[in-house]
Amino acid sequence: MSSFENLFISHNNRYSSKWQHYFEIYDRHLSHLKHKPIVLLEIGVSQGGPLQLWKKYFGTQSKIYGIDLNPKSRFYEDQIEVFIGDQTDTVFLNHVINNIGRPDVIIDDGSHIQSHVIKTFDFLFPHLADNGIYIIEDCHTSYWPRFEGGVNSHLNVVDILSRTAHDVNTKWYNEPRTPKIKQLNSIHFYDSVIVLEKRPKQFTRHMVTYRDWE
């Protein structure tokens, strides 16, 4: 199946808008899920073009869902459904999860308001499937005051999530620190994008190879 960029370039259906450098990130973190029965949930879908692209990208076994605040964003087609509601409304988000199950992929391309992004993440990440992937897009808004951002803003999403790097290594420390993100396997920071991968903590085996001294 084609890369996301090829699909985007050839897309001639509903409107979609993405920064070009996101495409490589998608392929790096999501290509292993192609042709599998995955559930994807994207927050902020505009006219629905991104959902159609994800449907093409992952194939016929995938189920693609969207969330948007604008009632005009509601539409249905085979494998695709959009829910209308506020990404900070946990009652609404719980309703969505009860209907779609645990998503394998969650993409936040919603309001980009920093407090919204964090509240949505805090609620949805625990509902992400084991081995799931959570992507936060357009993180350049973390530096714009109109989105509650700024390098020194206490709501800056990049800054807040950068402090969770210790959560990848919880099995190695004994200090009385409660992880903010449980089951965090890895966190990746890119230009305007943060990718978090979830995996249940597993026993790590230290392996050694032996060779006789010469």
Side-chain angles (χ1 to χ4, degrees), residues 209-214:
T209 59
Y210 290 91
R211 179 179 177 183
D212 291 336
W213 291 97
E214 296 180 354

Side-chain angles (χ1 to χ4, degrees), residues 88-143:
T88 67
D89 182 349
T90 56
V91 174
F92 164 71
L93 293 178
N94 192 61
H95 166 74
V96 173
I97 294 299
N98 285 340
N99 277 272
I100 73 175
R102 300 176 69 193
D104 300 282
V105 180
I106 297 175
I107 301 172
D108 187 348
D109 189 19
S111 73
H112 307 311
I113 295 172
Q114 302 301 282
S115 59
H116 294 186
V117 175
I118 291 299
K119 186 171 184 179
T120 304
F121 175 83
D122 285 345
F123 181 82
L124 286 180
F125 191 84
H127 292 283
L128 185 67
D130 292 344
N131 302 306
I133 299 166
Y134 197 110
I135 300 175
I136 302 173
E137 296 189 349
D138 295 350
C139 294
H140 47 270
T141 56
S142 295
Y143 306 99

